[in-house]
Amino acid sequence: MNGDDHPARPPPHGAAWHVCSYCNKVYPNLQALGGHQTAHRKEIEEMRRQHEARVQESKQQRRAAAAAAAAAQTADEERSVNLELTLGTGVGGPDLKLRL
C-alpha cells in the first residue's frame, strides 16, 4: 500500500517497502517516504509552537491572577477599620464611647 492506502505496485525484486515511523504507512521508495515524513515533521513543529504559546499564555494568566490577588489584599488592608469601644461608669450613668 502507498501513503493513500491504495495498493501500490510491488517494489522490484529484492527491494524493500519503506514504512513511516510516525503512522506506519508503507511506501515503495525512500523519496516518497521522505516527502511524507517531512509533512509529519511540519505538523509536529506546529504542534510544539502551539503548545509553547499555550504555556506562555498560562504563565501570563497566573502572573496576572497573582498580581490581582495581591492588589485585592492590599486594598482590603487599606479599607480595614480600627474600632475602639470604651465602657465605663460615670456620674450620670455608664459612659459609652465608640470610635471608628
Side-chain angles (χ1 to χ4, degrees), residues 20-60:
C20 175
S21 60
Y22 297 104
C23 67
N24 294 323
K25 287 186 178 180
V26 179
Y27 291 87
N29 61 56
L30 283 175
Q31 184 176 5
L33 175 63
H36 172 77
Q37 287 184 331
T38 297
H40 280 302
R41 283 191 289 279
K42 288 180 181 180
E43 291 170 357
I44 291 168
E45 288 171 7
E46 180 59 26
M47 286 188 294
R48 280 190 187 127
R49 278 191 289 274
Q50 289 174 0
H51 174 73
E52 285 299 318
R54 285 191 303 269
V55 167
Q56 291 302 319
E57 182 179 344
S58 178
K59 285 180 181 178
Q60 290 172 350

Side-chain angles (χ1 to χ4, degrees), residues 8-18 27-30:
R9 254 184 333 194
H13 182 67
W17 289 98
H18 303 281
Y27 291 87
N29 61 56
L30 283 175

Side-chain angles (χ1 to χ4, degrees), residues 1-3 5 12 16 20 34 38 42 45 48 50 57 66-69 75 80-81 88-89 91 93 96-97 99:
M1 294 205 302
N2 66 15
D5 291 333
C20 175
T38 297
K42 288 180 181 180
E45 288 171 7
R48 280 190 187 127
Q50 289 174 0
E57 182 179 344
S80 67
V81 177
T89 56
V91 178
L96 296 174
K97 181 170 129 185
R99 188 176 81 185

Side-chain angles (χ1 to χ4, degrees), residues 65-79:
Q73 182 177 359
T74 301
D76 287 345
E77 290 170 358
E78 290 173 355
R79 283 192 298 258

